[in-house]
């Protein structure tokens, strides 16, 4: 059974940093894309950053230059380093992994940025 365990969320002041982690287990298919999404109250879920197996990245315009996605293949773990956080970054953050056998979501971790 595939399981994605996220960690690293919390409360931080504006301008601060957090690093989110998402560890995947039970994956038997090759991983094609690992990504992070976020959803603020009353808003749709949106892509924050994605990283393909080939190393290509894609970032939302709102986080470019501030967030960095990376992965540890040996640990099947994807990270999101978030710097210069803003109050508008407040949301629940979800990791998503796309494999050749389907896609999977994490349970979400809350990030709250105070002004």
């Amino acid at each position: 059974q595939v399981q994605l365990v996220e960690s690293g969320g919390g409360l931080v002041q504006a301008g601060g940093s957090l690093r989110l982690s998402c560890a995947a287990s039970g994956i038997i298919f090759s991983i094609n894309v690992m990504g992070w999404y976020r959803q603020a109250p009353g808003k749709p879920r949106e892509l924050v950053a994605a990283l393909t197996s080939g190393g290509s990245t894609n970032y939302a315009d709102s986080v470019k230059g501030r967030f960095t996605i990376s992965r540890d293949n040996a640990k099947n773990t994807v990270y999101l380093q978030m710097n210069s956080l803003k109050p508008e970054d407040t949301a629940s953050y979800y990791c998503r992994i796309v494999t050749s056998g389907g896609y999977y979501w994490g349970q979400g971790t809350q990030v709250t940025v105070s002004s």
Side-chain angles (χ1 to χ4, degrees):
Q1 183 177 356
V2 174
Q3 188 174 17
L4 305 182
V5 179
E6 298 156 349
S7 61
L11 173 64
V12 65
Q13 289 187 332
S17 299
L18 286 173
R19 189 175 85 148
L20 305 183
S21 300
C22 175
S25 60
I27 301 287
I28 62 172
F29 296 102
S30 59
I31 296 175
N32 298 326
V33 184
M34 305 180 86
W36 289 94
Y37 289 71
R38 68 186 180 187
Q39 187 168 21
K43 294 187 177 181
R45 190 171 295 188
E46 63 175 356
L47 173 69
V48 176
L51 174 61
T52 71
S53 58
S56 298
T57 57
N58 183 31
Y59 292 95
D61 288 342
S62 59
V63 308
K64 284 180 180 176
R66 300 188 297 122
F67 291 9
T68 303
I69 189 170
S70 62
R71 64 184 288 181
D72 183 330
N73 290 329
K75 297 180 179 180
N76 272 350
T77 298
V78 61
Y79 304 97
L80 185 67
Q81 178 66 43
M82 305 185 294
N83 298 329
S84 302
L85 283 161
K86 304 176 180 180
E88 51 263 43
D89 294 318
T90 295
S92 293
Y93 284 70
Y94 300 86
C95 69
R96 180 176 184 257
I97 291 180
V98 180
T99 76
S100 54
Y103 63 91
Y104 307 91
W105 289 95
Q107 81 284 358
T109 186
Q110 179 66 34
V111 171
T112 302
V113 184
S114 63
S115 57

